[in-house]
Amino acid sequence: MIELKNVERSYKTGHTETWVLRRIGLTIRAGEFVTIMGPSGAGKSSLLNVLALLDDGWLGEYWFGETPAHKLNRKQRGDLARERIGMVFQSYHLLDDLTVAENIDLPLSYKNLPARDRQGMVAEILDRFQIVAKKDLFPSQLSGGQQQLVGIARAVVHAPALLLADEPTGNLHSTQAREIMELFRELNHAGTTIVQVTHSEENARYGTRVLELRDGWMTRDEALSGKAQEVVSE
């Protein structure tokens, strides 16, 4: 589904160049639930931003299925992301002046869909996430857990092939965190490919594979039910 070849990312400050991703080679198969771990500053969020096509400054090759994302311009990458990728942010990123239903409808507004179809898809996802009673509320009227549920509902309403999540339970208490991770497991079992960034070993156990980054290098690639794969870096 996804293949990265020699992906690198650096930032320049004056005459200094700081590398945050080094020679990343990675294949993610459809239906996997991958966790990216590592200490702060290891490059986890940088890698997730590359996967999300939110960052244009990387080098290397990125294949999304048969599509060479590295050869697309910014608009084409944006179109691909809106069509195939859902993103869950740690800080929710809900629009304060839109209701729950309107926030969830946002990804659908980019598609050429009749209003009736969009309304039906929003109603279905509201029911699935058991937040029908919240549909006319604004984000400020919701708890942190409820806002995260809305963020996930918004990310999956258009049935993305790939769901990316950056510390999806970082702001939640333990009960809410478990509910979110159980929801991710259900989505994965239903066929959604998931990549999450987390510091939580407990959250990682919900997945099928763990990657570890350190100083921009991938140092671990392990299937949770199998033997760790060898990772070679220079």
Side-chain angles (χ1 to χ4, degrees), residues 4 116 121:
L4 304 184
R116 181 177 297 179
M121 294 168 75

Side-chain angles (χ1 to χ4, degrees), residues 19-44:
W19 292 89
V20 293
L21 292 176
R22 300 305 308 267
R23 303 180 191 175
I24 299 296
L26 173 63
T27 299
I28 298 174
R29 294 174 291 276
E32 285 196 283
F33 187 159
V34 178
T35 299
I36 302 172
M37 305 188 77
S40 296
K44 304 184 299 298

